[in-house]
Amino acid sequence: DAKTTQPPSMDCAEGRAANLPCNHSTISGNEYVYWYRQIHSQGPQYIIHGLKNNETNEMASLIITEDRKSSTLILPHATLRDTAVYYCIVRPLGAGGTSYGKLTFGQGTILTVHP
Amino acid sequence: DGGITQSPKYLFRKEGQNVTLSCEQNLNHDAMYWYRQDPGQGLRLIYYSQIVNDFQKGDIAEGYSVSREKKESFPLTVTSAQKNPTAFYLCASSPQAGARDTGELFFGEGSRLTVL
């Protein structure tokens, strides 16, 4: 699976948009970009995923560059409860075999939302 | 409510003892996984199972064992052969296996094991 690079930490003011970047310059054509977050001492929570088109759901928006080498997760109106570690992951969809289940979680970005 | 239940949440054991962590899901998911997380680190895959009575080793299976006798249950045993068992253990499941895999995992709340 392609490797991702994220800043170790970011701050955001409550009510503002949080924009979390992720570089995945070695991404392959069949690899999707996934975002998860983990609040302290809890299990990770799925946020969103996409291939090449921008995606939006009730939690966030995902913007993927045209060359797919980077992406940005946008939390439009950050709240204190959005403080968490955010993980950007790339992996093939429906790979099966040895890559199945191998969502490789790196260090992630610690997002701190402050009042 | 549907979800994944891990127990116990906290567990203390003496060195050399085997310990079994429970993971139960009522989401009717085919696939289940065990991950290990160490302080300040990402998650590492221990074992996964795509279907009942079948499971595969992940990246760090040594010193661990699993079983998948029922669709809803995937217990993890941390054996005395695991050299550094103190960690946060996370169980997850996903709704579809193989080619229909969406990549979305649903996680439990975790079990924190401390070996004294």
Side-chain angles (χ1 to χ4, degrees), chain B:
Chain B
D1 289 345
I4 300 177
T5 302
Q6 290 186 240
S7 62
K9 192 173 179 66
Y10 298 97
L11 185 62
F12 296 88
R13 278 295 181 268
K14 291 182 179 180
E15 193 171 340
Q17 287 183 330
N18 291 356
V19 60
T20 297
L21 307 179
S22 170
C23 179
E24 303 278 331
Q25 55 102 355
N26 60 3
L27 300 168
N28 199 34
H29 285 173
D30 294 311
M32 297 186 74
Y33 315 80
W34 275 104
Y35 285 88
R36 167 182 173 140
Q37 187 173 34
D38 294 285
Q41 302 296 314
L43 280 67
R44 292 183 290 169
L45 183 65
I46 305 173
Y47 267 99
Y48 63 97
S49 168
Q50 299 184 41
I51 197 169
V52 173
N53 293 323
D54 185 59
F55 48 83
Q56 284 79 42
K57 293 181 179 180
D59 297 319
I60 55 165
E62 184 176 353
Y64 299 98
S65 66
V66 294
S67 63
R68 186 86 186 276
E69 297 177 0
K70 298 185 296 182
K71 186 175 185 178
E72 59 270 22
S73 179
F74 192 41
L76 173 75
T77 296
V78 184
T79 74
S80 57
Q82 169 49 235
K83 296 180 181 178
N84 296 296
T86 294
F88 187 50
Y89 291 89
L90 286 157
C91 179
S93 69
S94 63
Q96 293 169 321
R100 293 173 296 158
D101 169 29
T102 63
E104 180 179 351
L105 298 186
F106 296 77
F107 284 85
E109 292 295 304
S111 293
R112 191 169 298 279
L113 172 63
T114 302
V115 175
L116 306 173

Side-chain angles (χ1 to χ4, degrees), chain A residues 31-104:
Chain A
E31 288 184 311
Y32 283 66
V33 180
Y34 289 83
W35 282 86
Y36 282 75
R37 72 180 183 184
Q38 185 176 22
I39 296 170
H40 183 62
S41 294
Q42 295 183 19
Q45 176 190 25
Y46 165 84
I47 301 173
I48 199 167
H49 76 281
L51 182 62
K52 55 183 179 181
N53 298 320
N54 298 337
E55 302 287 345
T56 297
N57 62 21
E58 65 277 4
M59 291 182 67
S61 295
L62 174 60
I63 309 298
I64 303 174
T65 58
E66 192 169 345
D67 63 7
R68 303 206 327 118
K69 293 185 177 181
S70 65
S71 60
T72 301
L73 179 74
I74 300 172
L75 307 179
H77 305 287
T79 70
L80 299 179
R81 287 180 293 180
D82 291 323
T83 293
V85 179
Y86 287 77
Y87 296 100
C88 170
I89 303 157
V90 294
R91 62 153 279 185
L93 182 67
T98 57
S99 63
Y100 184 74
K102 283 190 178 181
L103 280 181
T104 302

